[in-house]
Amino acid sequence: MTKVFVLGGTGFLGYYTIKELLSQGYQVKTVVLPPMPADNLLPHEVDVQLGDINQMSDPDIITLLSDCDGFIYAAGKDERVVPAKPAMKFYYEANVLPTQRLARLAKQARVKNFVVFGSYFAEFAERLPQYHLRDQAYPNTRLLQEQIAFAEGEGSMKVSSLRLPYIFGTMPGRMPLWKMFVDQARNQPVFPALRGGTAMVTVEQVAEAAVGAMAHGKHRGTYAISAKNMKYQEFYQMIVEALDQTGKTQVPVVPFEQMKPTYEQLDQQADAEGKEHGIHMVVSAEMQTEDLYLDPNDTKDILGIKDHDVVKSIRQTLQKSVEAERVSH
């Protein structure tokens, strides 16, 4: 039986990755920041240590990983964080440096397979160069995170990266990140969408892809996964339905030029507060005029991703976001 270390084991992605590993017969070890988000969250057979791995010494981490064959890096900060500027420094320190250190130490501990959870913005930085995403803090550092992890593994540890799109699902003790979208649409007469669309997956599919990448991925492999492509307008309409605002909230498709001043103002406001978005809002909005679609068949068979009902998962996720607001009131 192979043992795998999961970083971020009580986070949304790490929790499901652990469940998938156990279902496939792996042993699992994790270090998690206290407190646990819910009682008895992880099965008793998981080796759980409470603490901050970034505060542990190099020798202690090597000892921790010495009986592990795999490492899944299911941690980090995504583009929804609005840090103090410069954002490049924040994301470099939050995502790149810890990945480099842990990949280096994993290799010293003779870990054979290392999987990084990244972002599909790294994929579109390569596919859509006209948007200059490499100049934006978040995509830039996601690409750098991959390259540094690949380099650390060179010669003795296989390192691959999952480039993750919109992810849906729920877990005990944590509020879905989509609650912020639900809150934006609440009681609004108009909730406009831009003309593009996005790739989507369920959290179970992310977990399947992670285990698949560890077992079957190639060194320096980047896997942009998807199960369903959907227009933003359709997704926003589902938010309106979850809020029971059908007929009360219109979801028109509007031209980017109409919305551009609003997004420029958000960037200016962040700047005035000493903050910076990981992808400037005006760039993020312009990206939403594109169909940021991915072909599920590019990765499905390689990684062993199964079919799941993505629309059902979206509805359940949005419903939990709506119900949480009712409970809080």
Side-chain angles (χ1 to χ4, degrees):
M1 185 183 286
T2 300
K3 186 176 286 187
V4 178
F5 182 86
V6 178
L7 182 65
T10 56
F12 180 48
L13 303 183
Y15 169 70
Y16 276 92
T17 300
I18 286 176
K19 288 176 64 174
E20 181 63 25
L21 285 163
L22 293 174
S23 76
Q24 293 195 34
Y26 290 91
Q27 292 180 330
V28 181
K29 178 183 281 192
T30 187
V31 172
V32 302
L33 292 169
M36 297 288 275
D39 292 337
N40 303 314
L41 180 69
L42 297 174
H44 65 87
E45 61 264 40
V46 179
D47 180 348
V48 181
Q49 297 183 36
L50 294 177
D52 183 351
I53 198 167
N54 293 319
Q55 300 301 317
M56 293 172 63
S57 70
D58 286 8
D60 284 349
I61 292 175
I62 292 170
T63 300
L64 176 75
L65 300 177
S66 62
D67 60 346
C68 296
D69 298 293
F71 188 117
I72 296 178
Y73 194 104
K77 301 295 185 182
D78 72 15
E79 78 281 6
R80 283 169 284 213
V81 178
V82 187
K85 61 183 180 184
M88 196 78 79
K89 177 178 185 291
F90 171 82
Y91 284 107
Y92 179 70
E93 292 176 351
N95 291 341
V96 180
L97 289 180
T99 305
Q100 181 179 26
R101 179 182 183 228
L102 290 171
R104 174 173 56 83
L105 296 175
K107 184 175 67 174
Q108 290 179 28
R110 293 188 166 83
V111 170
K112 294 301 178 191
N113 298 288
F114 192 100
V115 178
V116 177
F117 281 14
S119 168
Y120 81 158
F121 284 111
E123 182 76 15
F124 290 109
E126 296 174 345
R127 291 196 191 190
L128 302 172
Q130 67 270 30
Y131 288 96
H132 305 286
L133 286 176
R134 291 175 186 271
D135 298 333
Q136 299 289 314
Y138 183 68
N140 176 295
T141 51
R142 281 301 195 186
L143 287 163
L144 186 58
Q145 178 188 30
E146 291 178 342
Q147 290 302 318
I148 281 181
F150 296 158
E152 288 291 346
E154 209 68 51
S156 60
M157 182 173 73
K158 184 186 77 178
V159 183
S160 57
S161 175
L162 296 183
R163 293 176 167 181
L164 304 174
Y166 282 26
I167 305 164
F168 296 92
T170 63
M171 70 170 283
R174 292 200 185 277
M175 179 50 52
L177 293 170
W178 299 109
K179 183 177 179 296
M180 60 186 286
F181 279 72
V182 170
D183 291 345
Q184 288 167 8
R186 192 182 305 278
N187 299 323
Q188 295 297 320
V190 179
F191 192 47
L194 292 161
R195 68 171 181 264
T198 181
M200 299 174 163
V201 292
T202 70
V203 66
E204 292 89 351
Q205 289 168 317
V206 173
E208 290 161 2
V211 181
M214 189 182 64
H216 308 297
K218 294 181 179 178
H219 180 56
R220 292 185 171 268
T222 58
Y223 302 98
I225 71 171
S226 174
K228 185 172 183 62
N229 295 310
M230 182 184 289
K231 289 286 189 179
Y232 293 111
Q233 184 189 35
E234 183 181 349
F235 176 45
Y236 291 0
Q237 193 64 54
M238 292 174 72
I239 294 174
V240 169
E241 290 170 11
L243 285 163
D244 200 21
Q245 292 174 195
T246 304
K248 302 173 188 173
T249 301
Q250 302 302 310
V251 187
V253 175
V254 298
F256 169 67
E257 291 303 322
Q258 181 180 324
M259 299 290 290
K260 187 177 179 182
T262 301
Y263 288 106
E264 288 175 335
Q265 188 175 359
L266 289 170
D267 283 326
Q268 291 163 7
Q269 181 182 336
D271 187 61
E273 295 172 357
K275 297 180 177 182
E276 184 183 13
H277 291 271
I279 304 175
H280 289 176
M281 294 299 289
V282 71
V283 176
S284 179
E286 192 171 7
M287 290 291 293
Q288 290 178 37
T289 66
E290 298 281 352
D291 287 331
L292 303 179
Y293 290 171
L294 300 166
D295 186 346
N297 293 321
D298 289 346
T299 54
K300 183 179 177 182
D301 291 341
I302 301 167
L303 303 181
I305 301 171
K306 300 182 181 71
D307 291 326
H308 291 260
D309 189 336
V310 180
V311 171
K312 181 180 178 182
S313 184
I314 294 170
R315 293 193 191 284
Q316 291 172 340
T317 306
L318 296 176
Q319 200 57 48
K320 182 167 182 179
S321 302
V322 170
E323 288 168 0
E325 187 70 17
R326 290 174 184 152
V327 169
S328 67
H329 280 71

